[in-house]
Amino acid sequence: MITSSFLIRPPHSPDELTDHIQGYVEVAQSFSPDPLPKDTVDRLLRKLISLPGYRKEQVRSAYHNDEHLGGYRIYERLLRVGTARLATGCIGGVYTRAEARNQGVATALMHDAIAYAQAHEYPLLLLDGIPKFYHRYGYCDVYDLSTLEFDRQAILALAESPYSVRQATLEDATSLLTLYERHLGIYTGSFERSIEQQIHWMQHIKLEHLLVATDPADQVRGYLFLAATQARGPFFLAGTQVWELAVDDWPAAAALLQYHVRSGKEESDQTASEIIRYSIPPTSPVVQWLGENLEVIDISTWDMPVFGWAMREQTFRHQNAGWMARLVNLSALARAMLPEWQARWQQSLAHWSGDISLLIGDEAFTLHIVGEDLQLLNEPGNTEHTFILTPQAFTQAIFGYCPITRAIQLREHQLTSDLVTVLTILFPTGRTWIPTSDWF
């Protein structure tokens, strides 16, 4: 595919594939304060070509007069939205070589990604992007990372757990996948994951960063995934980082937290040792358990108790940055979402009847509701309840990033209370969480 004067295509040979990875590593090194390991290119190549479902067309490189200028990778994954599964183009590894910057290479790559997604009929594109760039191509914010900080001494003061902790092995893959499905796969933003994908992920991380808690019967009841020690940036200035925690019960959580605090293997900044930062879904039972069990030992520094904490939540937000998505194919998305819309409506026990048409850009669809039944009409029509939304506002509503009723009210008349109820049932907010082990 030619975009402007650039040819965007997959590498034609093993040498071109290596050149693609080498180009990405060179750019990554230019933004890193520390030298990358010497085997980084070989390691990334092995990880890429051994990925279950990998196809060489997913590697996209930009050329001009046979000169390699940049590239990106796009992976097809099934994004979970309740019972719905949305085929999503996941974009990662976007780079432009230093000598080719400010020449339109990145723009050509983004247009190629959109065309690729359209050709494969993906409902969505998803990426974790740098600020103030991807919104130009129709992307919008869909998820803000939140973290919990804990007082280290409060964790040490917990009663000893009857569970044991050890390093994970590949033999734990099935148990860990079950924990992932049970505790993290319930969120919008998680992905379908096969056992082959689970094993592949474990093979390409440092297993000393993956801990498991076992009960007295030696059954795996939880896991903890530590952040890489080489991570840098403002997010990493204070405290020990834990990327992912999935547990069946409080003893598993307590065992992993205490083991982690006491080992301190990844702790490099002792001045920050009193704070531990975890990435845990705010609605997880773990948050409730921690709130019920953690107590600060020394409260002498508290001026106002209302600002005292044993556990503190932070959300990291910047407009047009981080996790962003783009609507690609509205009809494919509506078809894929239908089972979840039906489940949400039936579980609500609501009995409203009528048609709701949503006009998104120059496309539309209609939801036909009669009592407990909800169907997607093949031919969207003009109904009494027709609402116009931008593709970005609709995408945010799919992810529950902001209320769809707010986006509609900003553009049209005030909604009646029954329509607010219907739309809130179909497009609830606050259910998105992208587990760290799903990052790409």
Side-chain angles (χ1 to χ4, degrees):
M1 178 178 296
I2 297 177
T3 305
S4 300
S5 58
F6 303 109
L7 176 66
I8 314 296
R9 61 166 175 79
H12 285 167
S13 66
D15 286 345
E16 285 192 346
L17 180 59
T18 300
D19 193 35
H20 174 100
I21 299 297
Q22 180 67 52
Y24 168 74
V25 171
E26 288 173 358
V27 173
Q29 180 64 84
S30 68
F31 289 99
S32 174
D34 301 321
L36 296 176
K38 293 182 179 180
D39 67 342
T40 298
V41 173
D42 290 339
R43 183 166 44 83
L44 291 179
L45 270 172
R46 290 195 300 270
K47 181 179 179 180
L48 174 65
I49 62 178
S50 63
L51 181 68
Y54 163 74
R55 304 188 306 274
K56 65 178 183 180
E57 66 172 358
Q58 297 170 324
V59 180
R60 316 292 294 174
S61 292
Y63 297 91
H64 179 68
N65 293 333
D66 293 328
E67 181 183 4
H68 173 217
L69 304 177
Y72 73 96
R73 295 181 291 281
I74 184 167
Y75 309 104
E76 180 179 319
R77 304 177 72 179
L78 290 176
L79 181 80
R80 304 177 200 241
V81 184
T83 58
R85 300 293 182 264
L86 310 183
T88 301
C90 299
I91 296 176
V94 182
Y95 69 95
T96 301
R97 282 185 149 157
E99 64 273 16
R101 289 176 189 160
N102 300 314
Q103 298 179 29
V105 175
T107 293
L109 293 172
M110 288 302 98
H111 287 307
D112 178 78
I114 295 169
Y116 183 99
Q118 290 170 336
H120 290 77
E121 297 188 342
Y122 296 156
L124 294 169
L125 284 168
L126 179 69
L127 53 80
D128 178 12
I130 60 173
K132 301 180 180 180
F133 177 72
Y134 292 98
H135 69 285
R136 309 175 200 177
Y137 309 102
Y139 291 85
C140 61
D141 301 314
V142 294
Y143 170 67
D144 297 320
L145 177 68
S146 63
T147 63
L148 294 175
E149 290 183 353
F150 306 113
D151 181 278
R152 182 181 292 267
Q153 296 306 317
I155 293 176
L156 290 173
L158 292 171
E160 288 294 323
S161 170
Y163 290 5
S164 301
V165 175
R166 60 172 172 80
Q167 179 180 308
T169 69
L170 288 179
E171 285 70 29
D172 297 314
T174 299
S175 297
L176 299 191
L177 178 57
T178 300
L179 285 162
Y180 167 89
E181 297 282 354
R182 183 182 300 137
H183 301 291
L184 299 175
I186 60 177
Y187 294 98
T188 294
S190 64
F191 293 95
E192 282 282 291
R193 184 184 294 185
S194 66
I195 187 61
E196 291 77 17
Q197 290 170 321
Q198 176 72 26
I199 292 172
H200 179 268
W201 175 69
M202 293 176 66
Q203 287 174 329
H204 293 278
I205 63 170
K206 294 182 178 179
L207 281 179
E208 59 263 33
H209 291 169
L210 187 60
L211 306 175
V212 297
T214 59
D215 64 17
D218 203 31
Q219 297 299 305
V220 175
R221 302 302 299 276
Y223 72 83
L224 181 153
F225 175 39
L226 300 174
T229 57
Q230 67 268 26
R232 294 291 185 268
F235 177 73
F236 301 93
L237 290 181
T240 302
Q241 317 302 325
V242 172
W243 279 126
E244 191 163 300
L245 177 69
V247 293
D248 283 336
D249 51 31
W250 170 242
L256 288 165
L257 266 63
Q258 286 204 323
Y259 181 93
H260 174 224
V261 168
R262 288 170 177 164
S263 66
K265 292 179 180 179
E266 78 301 329
E267 185 64 69
S268 59
D269 182 3
Q270 294 302 319
T271 65
S273 62
E274 292 308 307
I275 295 175
I276 296 183
R277 180 177 289 149
Y278 278 44
S279 180
I280 303 174
T283 58
S284 169
V286 179
V287 178
Q288 183 68 30
W289 296 334
L290 287 163
E292 294 170 349
N293 288 277
L294 289 184
E295 293 186 11
V296 173
I297 305 305
D298 180 11
I299 61 173
S300 62
T301 59
W302 286 12
D303 294 327
M304 297 181 64
V306 71
F307 290 113
W309 59 277
M311 178 175 67
R312 178 173 62 180
E313 182 177 356
Q314 293 190 84
T315 299
F316 299 84
R317 175 173 293 188
H318 188 288
Q319 186 179 23
N320 297 324
W323 287 104
M324 306 178 73
R326 184 193 193 280
L327 179 64
V328 178
N329 188 315
L330 180 65
S331 61
L333 186 146
R335 291 193 302 271
M337 279 295 300
L338 181 59
E340 177 60 13
W341 283 328
Q342 291 172 330
R344 291 173 181 177
W345 184 251
Q346 291 167 5
Q347 291 166 7
S348 74
L349 303 180
H351 289 277
W352 183 86
S353 295
D355 289 347
I356 293 179
S357 293
L358 295 178
L359 180 60
I360 316 299
D362 57 359
E363 297 182 274
F365 66 90
T366 298
L367 297 176
H368 177 65
I369 304 174
V370 179
E372 297 181 354
D373 186 54
L374 182 150
Q375 296 297 328
L376 177 67
L377 297 185
N378 293 327
E379 295 295 332
N382 293 323
T383 69
E384 178 184 357
H385 308 303
T386 299
F387 304 110
I388 301 173
L389 290 168
T390 65
Q392 291 79 13
F394 180 71
T395 301
Q396 291 183 329
I398 290 292
F399 279 87
Y401 188 75
C402 62
I404 189 173
T405 52
R406 179 177 179 272
I408 289 173
Q409 289 178 341
L410 287 175
R411 293 166 174 79
E412 302 184 19
H413 58 275
Q414 293 292 311
L415 296 171
T416 61
S417 60
D418 59 339
L419 283 173
V420 169
T421 299
V422 171
L423 291 168
T424 301
I425 290 170
L426 297 177
F427 298 92
T429 58
R431 296 189 177 186
T432 298
W433 184 264
I434 301 178
T436 314
S437 57
D438 278 329
W439 291 10
F440 47 86

